[in-house]
Amino acid sequence: MTHPLRLGVNIDHVATIRNARGGDHPDPVRAAQIVAACGGDGITAHLREDRRHIRDKDLRRIQDATDLPLNLEMAGTEEMLAIALAHQPHAACIVPEKREERTTEGGLDAAGQHNQLAPIVTRLRDAGIRVSLFIEASERQLDAALRLGVPVVEFHTGEYAHAGLDGDAAKVEKELKRIADMAALAAKNGIEPHAGHGLTYENVQPIAAIPQLAELNIGHYLIGEAIFCGLEPAVLRMRELMDHAR
Ligand code: PXP
C-alpha cells in the first residue's frame, strides 16, 4: 500500500547563515513559518553539540511560531536528552554526531550502541516523544531498532546521493534497492520508515516512489535553492516532485 509521503523541512542552514554574522538574520523561525504556510508537513532541526546552526533558544521559538510538528535531531547524550525532555518535540531522531564532521556522515550504530541507547529511547518514549533512529539501511541496524522498540527509523540516503553525484549508476541502483528492501522490512515489522540526507530535485523521485516511506527530511538543498528562488517555491517544487513519484 502506498502511504501519503510527508515532507519535513530541515531549517538548520538558515541558522548557519544567521550565525555567520552573529546577529538574528535570517531567522529560522521565519523559515518555519513559510514552510507551514506552503504545505510542509514538519520542521526538522538538529541541535548539534557545537551549536553551529540551530541554538537552544531557537527550539522554543520554532515551536511557538508554528503548529507543525518539530522533529528534533539529537545526539544520544544526556545533555540532548535533557533538552528534548524540556522541550517536548513531537519527535526526536537520534543521530550519530562527530564534532569534526561537516554533516551527519553515516548512520547511527544502533546495533553496537544498544546499551547506551536503550535508556535514552525509554526516557524519550516515556515522555511521549516519538523516537526515531537515523540508521543505514541494513538488516543489522533494523534488527537493533526493533530490539530498542522504536516506532520510527530514518534511513540515511547519503550513499545513494553521493553515488548519483559520482555518476555511478550501478551504485545508485544498489543503494536504492537496499533502501527499498529495508523500508519494506521495517513496515512489515511495524516500524514506520523515513529517509533523508542529500536529497535534491534530481534524486528525490526514486526515493519518494518507495511505497512504505512515510516521510522525507530535506534541508541543505532546499535552503540552497531558496537563495535563488525563495523558500516557498523551493518547498512547493520538492512537494510536487515527491507527489508525482507516488
Ligand atoms: N535527516 C537527518 C537525520 C539529518 O541529520 C539530516 C541533516 O544532516 C537530514 C535528514 C537532511 O539532510 P540534508 O540537509 O542533506 O537534506
Side-chain angles (χ1 to χ4, degrees):
M1 184 196 153
T2 303
H3 301 273
L5 183 58
R6 298 190 298 271
L7 171 59
V9 178
N10 181 318
I11 57 172
D12 290 345
H13 295 304
V14 178
T16 305
I17 298 172
R18 174 195 64 189
N19 299 350
R21 284 295 169 96
D24 56 12
H25 182 82
D27 189 347
V29 167
R30 188 165 157 204
Q33 288 168 326
I34 292 170
V35 171
C38 70
D41 300 292
I43 301 297
T44 293
H46 184 177
L47 186 71
R48 292 186 80 100
E49 184 196 8
D50 63 8
R51 310 304 199 262
R52 70 176 75 155
H53 35 60
I54 291 297
R55 300 206 163 138
D56 302 57
K57 276 191 195 147
D58 294 324
L59 294 178
R60 182 69 68 217
R61 292 175 62 243
I62 291 166
Q63 287 177 303
D64 288 347
T66 88
D67 291 335
L68 287 183
L70 175 66
N71 172 31
L72 174 66
E73 292 176 0
M74 54 175 269
T77 62
E78 280 297 324
E79 182 200 9
M80 288 301 150
L81 176 64
I83 292 170
L85 295 176
H87 286 78
Q88 292 283 309
H90 166 77
C93 180
I94 305 180
V95 302
E97 200 174 295
K98 290 199 269 322
R99 192 174 262 271
E100 65 277 13
E101 71 191 352
R102 261 188 297 178
T103 179
T104 314
E105 278 161 5
L108 184 73
D109 183 10
Q113 294 174 14
H114 177 95
N115 292 346
Q116 294 102 290
L117 291 170
I120 294 174
V121 168
T122 302
R123 285 165 70 191
L124 289 168
R125 188 180 48 219
D126 289 352
I129 299 169
R130 199 158 189 243
V131 186
S132 165
L133 303 179
F134 189 43
I135 57 172
E136 292 297 332
S138 76
E139 265 187 64
R140 179 164 182 266
Q141 297 300 341
L142 194 54
D143 277 351
L146 269 170
R147 272 185 276 117
L148 284 162
V150 293
V152 177
V153 291
E154 180 169 328
F155 292 123
H156 197 303
T157 50
E159 289 285 316
Y160 161 79
H162 283 139
L165 290 175
D166 293 343
D168 187 342
K171 185 152 187 221
V172 168
E173 282 314 307
K174 190 171 147 232
E175 289 301 318
L176 202 51
K177 181 169 182 327
R178 190 157 80 97
I179 295 163
D181 288 350
M182 290 306 114
L185 192 59
K188 197 170 141 201
N189 284 286
I191 294 188
E192 185 176 284
H194 299 177
H197 202 87
L199 296 177
T200 68
Y201 295 159
E202 284 72 33
N203 67 17
V204 74
Q205 289 199 300
I207 295 288
I210 297 171
Q212 295 86 3
L213 287 180
E215 181 173 307
L216 301 184
N217 284 299
I218 308 181
H220 182 266
Y221 183 83
L222 278 176
I223 303 307
E225 272 300 294
I227 291 171
F228 302 112
C229 70
L231 187 54
E232 178 174 338
V235 170
L236 291 177
R237 175 82 183 126
M238 190 61 84
R239 176 81 268 162
E240 184 181 44
L241 288 165
M242 286 164 54
D243 291 344
H244 282 168
R246 286 254 148 163

